[in-house]
Amino acid sequence: MAAFTLRRLGEMVAVLFAVSVLTFLIFNVIPASDPAQSMAGKSATPQLVASITEEWGFDDPLPQQYLTMMGKIFSGDLISYQGQENVVERIVEGIPATFSLCIGAAVIWMFFGILFGYLSAVRAGGLLDKLLTVLAVAGISIPVIWLASVLLYYLAYKTGLFPAQGYVELSEDPVDWAYHLILPWFTVAVTLVGLYSRVLRSNMLDAMNEDYVRTARAKGLGERQVMTRHVLRNSLIPIVTLFGLDFGALIGGSAILTERLFGLDGVGLYAFESIENLDLPPIMAIVLFGAFFVVLFNALVDIAYAYLDPRVKLGSSAR
Amino acid sequence: MSAEPLISVRDLRVGFATEGGLVQAVDGVSFDLAPGEVLAIVGESGSGKSVTAQTIVGLTRSHNARIEGSAQLGGEELIGASERQLQRVRGERIGMVFQDPMTSFNPVYRIGAQIVEAIRAHRKDVSDAQARERAVELLDTVGIPNASQRVDSYPHQFSGGMRQRAMIAMALALEPDVLIADEPTTALDVTVQAQILTLLERLNRERDLATILITHDLGVVAEIADRVLVMHEGKVVERGELDDVFYSPADPYTRSLLGAVVRLDAAPPLRPRREGENLLEVTDLVKHFPVKRGLLVNHEVDRVRAVDGVSFSVRRGETLGLVGESGSGKSTLCRAVLQLLAPDSGSVRFEGREIAGLSRRAMRPLRREMQIVFQDPYASLNPRKRVGQIVAEPLRLQGESSGTELRGAAQELLDRVGLSAEHYDRYPHEFSGGQRQRIGIARALALRPKLIVADEPVSALDVSIRAQILDLLAELQKDFGLTYLFVAHDIGVVRHVSDRIAVMHEGRIVEEGPADQVCERPSDAYTKQLLAAVPIPDPREARARRQTIGSA
């Protein structure tokens, strides 16, 4: 376990370094991205631009600029070009909204994904299975932006059943918190419920033909026990892998669109604004934030895998 | 055996509705089974023997199955019984053991937990701790050493033999009256098979257990059965006491089955002694597989000595049989000899020329001289290619000929191995196991090689097919002057085809010599053990042997 953790930490450092260098380079080759120019405003004098360039060190060699920026991210005093606010503080402020969105959506998508997948598999070929299949395929195919627009239009603007925009702190009012998040949760979860139920269904249908399922029946177990303890249990292993990857990716950036559409003041919305303004410091910090979670959840998946499947050994080279 | 029958099956029929009509898998099977009796149901694959047993306990669950007839357990009708009723019977009154103990345990639960589950499914009043204690006791009974600790092992931490013992322990957890063992030793090595058969026999004796043993192996039948039922295409073609079936079979199918068995103790056809130069010489061949683990850089923590200093030679035109159990390193040896795996050290000389360490390019012209036939004729033929393409592929790869020439050559090869030229355009799945193995042999023959390495060429085949393939190999050897390195785990088969035999154990050759000498006057302890474990398909011999062992 110690060896595994060390190895993974090493990998994480490498990934974060590569991602940050890439982001930094991409930003610096984009045309018309001179931050001094945009900070100085539309009708700035060349002197003002020059002094901003001087003050912020935009003339320094790129490696030095990179190192300065990374140093500031990790010491927590990185300042954005637009609005000149502390980037790390802004991200920390956005975390509750982002986590509320992602964790809530994850609970919904795992619950319904597993439930629908299980029902489909147990009733394979039946009416319920066919209905769930249609729903799942529809869910997978619906674009998030379309779904969000439809939900907002009918359930928020037209009928006023749900609030259209905004985020309420959980500590402030838990009911209102959930009320504001229902539509965003649903938006994120729909595609994944469809996907997970399909994957689980096919895993379970494969597992049903395994010899150990026949053994379970030969022992005299009831059909429900056979299905849950043997078929479902073993079929969930790949689902856990999938979940870790999807959840990491969701926190690491997939939530941007949803946060923007529902006006949730989270890390994703901040990312959206920063990209719009070509504001490098927050972009760098948010990219690292996202990459961190992707790598973290990859490692957690491996740990979970070794826990769920005793044949898998952590950190062996066969991985 | 005049006791009241425990199980009474009458006119059992199981049909499966398929697109091509109803396939009658079991067609009017009837039998009785008394307490303490071992009934062997014998048949080849597809004979309906497994379906019969599974149907009795309600495990034939396919939606397209049509089940008729009657199967009673102590007067209680099981065919058409409710799922609830059948669940009570399964595990509680009828225990089952299956062929492959690796896949028959759920890999994610501990062995003990799976036994506890079986107990608790029927005895809600037994606590987990009590059930666990019982599991330890059961594992101890079936001969798992150190059972109180091994109870917490996972299936993959057990060897094949231990898994099957655990499987038997689980089947016996609730002291059932009947044990159904479906090919219980087929996936096991012969020495392990002997132990499991002894265990089954002991349990049968001690517990007055009625046993249904399903097998294709007449040797196993002769070892432990009281009565025999021979099935063929869903029907019972022969039934009777063990000796009657073996010594005076009435049905022609039974006779052919008995005749097809390759017996270790039967003297094989006389083969002229081969003198002459060596075609293949292997000296001190070593192939180890490192086991690596490590922090940032993997380092070797252990090594598997798959081939550990092996030397042998094969003369031109002769057959060298290589025998060994699973894990003995025989497959690795084959691959290392053919340079499909680079050996760590040692020499392989083919026609006097060193080929170990030759580059891929330098090996290429030599590939045509040495070909391989694989064990599994299902996995080793590309399912998306036509049979003709498969057979002609080596010719095409060696740039031999093209177009119509290729087709002609392939058709000739198919004809040569007992298939017909019309088979050219078919796909592998349209053929039976034996026919597929013929296709594999045709492919190996395509380039007119001098040496053919046959890696377990008949072990996936039914007994009657086995003999045909062995005959084909012998015929081809005579016609083309082939030299064989014949690898198998079954020493009976090896003796039948080999001039000389080498016995492999834990990466080394422990004994080598003329076939008769190795089989009749073995000098190595392991060879003796291996020979003693081979079941003899002859009840009298088997009894005589048991008595000698028992009194010794």
Side-chain angles (χ1 to χ4, degrees), chain B residues 335-403:
Chain B
R335 269 144 232 260
V337 165
L338 293 175
Q339 302 301 308
L340 296 172
L341 261 181
D344 295 341
S345 66
S347 135
V348 179
R349 298 179 85 83
F350 183 76
E351 295 194 300
R353 182 178 164 202
E354 180 61 65
I355 61 167
L358 277 191
S359 69
R360 220 167 245 264
R361 204 191 166 80
M363 254 326 275
R364 223 179 137 166
L366 281 166
R367 291 259 175 250
R368 58 185 311 145
E369 311 277 352
M370 39 178 86
Q371 290 288 314
I372 186 163
V373 175
F374 297 99
Q375 167 172 9
D376 189 342
Y378 293 83
S380 56
L381 301 177
N382 186 338
R384 284 183 189 76
K385 283 203 167 164
R386 290 175 197 281
V387 163
Q389 290 173 300
I390 292 173
V391 172
E393 188 162 38
L395 292 170
R396 203 169 49 74
L397 287 178
Q398 292 276 353
E400 191 76 350
S401 39
S402 60

Side-chain angles (χ1 to χ4, degrees), chain A residues 7 211 215 217 219 229 234, chain B residues 103-104 106 109 117 122 294:
Chain A
R7 186 196 289 252
D211 286 350
T215 308
R217 290 205 176 98
K219 289 197 272 197
R229 285 186 52 85
N234 291 45
Chain B
T103 58
S104 295
N106 190 330
Y109 294 119
E117 188 185 35
H122 297 277

Side-chain angles (χ1 to χ4, degrees), chain A residues 238-257:
Chain A
I239 292 285
V240 168
T241 313
L242 212 56
F243 174 75
L245 301 179
D246 282 338
F247 190 72
L250 185 65
I251 290 186
S254 314
I256 290 178
L257 194 56

Side-chain angles (χ1 to χ4, degrees), chain B residues 384-436:
Chain B
R384 284 183 189 76
K385 283 203 167 164
R386 290 175 197 281
V387 163
Q389 290 173 300
I390 292 173
V391 172
E393 188 162 38
L395 292 170
R396 203 169 49 74
L397 287 178
Q398 292 276 353
E400 191 76 350
S401 39
S402 60
T404 46
E405 253 181 287
L406 271 184
R407 192 183 175 97
Q411 285 175 335
E412 200 189 311
L413 281 163
L414 287 174
D415 183 57
R416 197 64 203 72
V417 296
L419 297 167
S420 79
E422 292 100 75
H423 289 142
Y424 185 92
D425 284 319
R426 301 232 194 123
Y427 288 97
H429 72 263
E430 296 172 64
F431 292 89
S432 68
Q435 287 174 319
R436 286 184 214 208

Side-chain angles (χ1 to χ4, degrees), chain A residues 71-86:
Chain A
K72 283 184 178 166
I73 288 180
F74 287 104
S75 63
D77 13 87
L78 188 67
I79 303 295
S80 70
Y81 300 158
Q82 298 289 323
Q84 269 126 57
E85 50 188 357
N86 186 307

